[in-house]
């Protein structure tokens, strides 16, 4: 009976997450159809296109998802302070995990590109290289970290924390990765999402994960974007600048990976009051109608995006 109730809880979470994703996608498509349809000349303007999809997402889509994910009896996570030193360590570890996930995603999409005969489309690269950096920064550095952390850390982790910290971390990471709906971002989003969830369940304070999220996105989308748009890699000065940037980010990333390895055994996660019986985790958390349907639909979208679009 207990396992049945647990599966029901995760099934409800999966259905709610899927409905939320559908609503968010729908408001973006409706906005695109309504505005670009009346102003077709705007279709080729990447900055207008970004505004047309992002504004309804944050004004309508996310609030609707927040409403779906709310739960009156959600768990309360004890609050703990994170000092500057630990925050810096957490940033380096997060960046290391992002590099691992990014390299994995690039390898997977490169393999898919070989199979279909052309590279897999990466919309993020187009935004960074062609759009206005400071406009895209509003979405990637300011809005996305706040809204995504509220949904995937605060609401989801609070909802399932009574099943144990490990479960909250894994579910948050998986759903965050799937939510991006493409192989380019899935792997690093899942790893970062899980790590941010670990920080949240250990501190109970969303400001730390929002801060980490902002810094990681800033280094990737703003600093990286400025270099791509303004520095010619074919010139000697450009090669030097790119080399220094690569040494910096990969130095941080490699150090972060080392710290993850050194601290992994210390990252203990407590069991919740409703801890899932040993050996039943996958069946309880994933193999239920809601979560399974959400995973399958998101995976189909990712495959279509990679092979068809």
């Amino acid at each position: 009976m207990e396992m049945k109730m647990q599966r029901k809880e995760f099934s409800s979470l999966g259905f709610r997450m899927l409905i939320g994703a559908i609503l968010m996608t729908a408001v973006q498509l409706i906005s695109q159809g309504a505005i670009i349809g009346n102003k077709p000349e705007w279709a080729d303007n990447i900055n207008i296109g970004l505004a047309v999809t992002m504004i309804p997402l944050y004004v309508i889509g996310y609030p609707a998802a927040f409403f779906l994910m709310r739960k009156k009896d959600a768990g309360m996570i004890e609050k703990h302070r994170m000092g500057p030193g630990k925050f810096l360590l957490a940033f380096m570890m997060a960046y290391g995990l992002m590099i691992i996930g990014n390299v994995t995603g690039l390898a997977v999409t490169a393999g898919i590109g070989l199979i279909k005969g052309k590279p897999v489309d990466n919309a993020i690269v187009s935004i960074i290289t062609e759009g206005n950096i400071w406009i895209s920064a509003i979405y990637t550095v300011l809005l996305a970290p706040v809204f995504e952390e509220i949904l995937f850390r605060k609401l989801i982790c609070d909802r399932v924390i009574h099943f144990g910290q490990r479960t909250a971390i894994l579910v948050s990471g998986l759903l965050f990765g799937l939510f991006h709906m493409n192989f380019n971002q899935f792997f690093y989003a899942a790893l970062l999402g899980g790590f941010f969830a670990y920080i949240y369940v250990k501190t109970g304070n969303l400001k730390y994960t929002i801060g980490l999220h902002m810094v990681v996105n800033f280094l990737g989308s703003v600093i990286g974007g400025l270099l791509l748009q303004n520095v010619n890699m074919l010139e000697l000065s450009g090669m030097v600048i790119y080399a220094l940037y690569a040494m910096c980010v990969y130095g941080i990333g490699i150090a972060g990976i080392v710290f993850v390895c050194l601290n992994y055994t210390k990252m203990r996660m407590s069991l919740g009051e409703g801890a899932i019986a040993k050996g039943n985790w996958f069946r309880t958390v994933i193999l239920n109608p809601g979560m399974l349907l959400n995973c399958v639909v998101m995976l189909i979208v990712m495959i279509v995006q990679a092979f068809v679009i």
Side-chain angles (χ1 to χ4, degrees), residues 261-274:
C261 295
L262 293 176
N263 289 277
Y264 180 75
T265 56
K266 302 175 185 177
M267 298 167 68
R268 303 186 184 278
M269 287 151 278
S270 62
L271 298 174
E273 295 178 0

Side-chain angles (χ1 to χ4, degrees), residues 1-7 10 162-164 166-167 170 271-286:
M1 181 60 70
E2 183 180 10
M3 181 178 174
K4 184 177 180 180
M5 294 300 294
Q6 290 173 333
R7 295 183 78 244
F10 284 104
H162 61 284
F163 294 109
R166 186 185 301 275
T167 295
L170 292 175
L271 298 174
E273 295 178 0
I276 299 168
K278 188 176 182 180
N280 289 333
W281 192 92
F282 190 77
R283 181 183 174 189
T284 301
V285 177
I286 305 298

Side-chain angles (χ1 to χ4, degrees), residues 117-147:
K118 65 177 183 178
V120 175
D121 180 61
N122 191 336
I124 300 298
V125 172
S126 298
I127 292 172
I128 291 175
T129 56
E130 299 173 24
N132 183 289
I133 289 297
W134 302 112
I135 291 177
S136 63
I138 294 174
Y139 307 114
T140 59
V141 180
L142 297 180
L143 294 178
V146 173
F147 283 80

Side-chain angles (χ1 to χ4, degrees), residues 90-305:
F91 159 67
M92 295 176 72
M93 294 169 72
Y95 213 82
L97 291 172
M98 189 199 68
I99 287 179
I100 292 175
N102 191 43
V103 170
T104 303
L106 289 174
V108 170
T109 53
I112 294 173
L114 289 174
I115 294 173
K116 73 174 192 175
K118 65 177 183 178
V120 175
D121 180 61
N122 191 336
I124 300 298
V125 172
S126 298
I127 292 172
I128 291 175
T129 56
E130 299 173 24
N132 183 289
I133 289 297
W134 302 112
I135 291 177
S136 63
I138 294 174
Y139 307 114
T140 59
V141 180
L142 297 180
L143 294 178
V146 173
F147 283 80
E148 289 176 356
E149 291 307 307
I150 291 173
L151 178 59
F152 291 97
R153 254 56 72 186
K154 174 66 179 173
L155 294 176
I156 289 179
C157 288
D158 285 1
R159 189 181 183 92
V160 301
I161 192 63
H162 61 284
F163 294 109
Q165 292 181 343
R166 186 185 301 275
T167 295
I169 291 166
L170 292 175
V171 169
S172 174
L174 174 63
L175 292 178
F176 189 54
L178 291 172
F179 176 76
H180 286 76
M181 299 187 208
N182 64 78
F183 288 113
N184 289 302
Q185 295 175 282
F186 169 76
F187 298 98
Y188 73 75
L191 287 175
L192 279 177
F195 183 70
F196 291 159
Y198 171 79
I199 298 297
Y200 176 66
V201 301
K202 289 299 183 182
T203 66
N205 202 321
L206 210 60
K207 70 181 181 182
Y208 297 126
T209 63
I210 291 174
L212 289 169
H213 202 150
M214 285 181 169
V215 175
V216 169
N217 282 9
F218 178 80
L219 282 179
S221 63
V222 176
I223 301 300
L226 286 172
L227 289 177
L228 288 171
Q229 290 189 8
N230 298 289
V231 178
N232 187 348
M233 193 174 177
L234 298 179
E235 296 178 355
L236 179 60
S237 59
M239 294 174 62
V240 172
I241 292 173
Y242 271 106
L244 291 173
Y245 174 73
M247 288 173 61
C248 178
V249 296
Y250 280 101
I252 293 172
I254 292 171
I257 293 170
V258 172
F259 285 131
V260 169
C261 295
L262 293 176
N263 289 277
Y264 180 75
T265 56
K266 302 175 185 177
M267 298 167 68
R268 303 186 184 278
M269 287 151 278
S270 62
L271 298 174
E273 295 178 0
I276 299 168
K278 188 176 182 180
N280 289 333
W281 192 92
F282 190 77
R283 181 183 174 189
T284 301
V285 177
I286 305 298
L287 296 184
N288 56 71
M291 286 291 285
L292 192 59
L293 181 62
N294 180 62
C295 291
V296 170
V297 170
M298 293 297 107
L299 184 59
I300 290 174
V301 172
M302 290 163 65
I303 291 172
V304 171
Q305 187 274 337

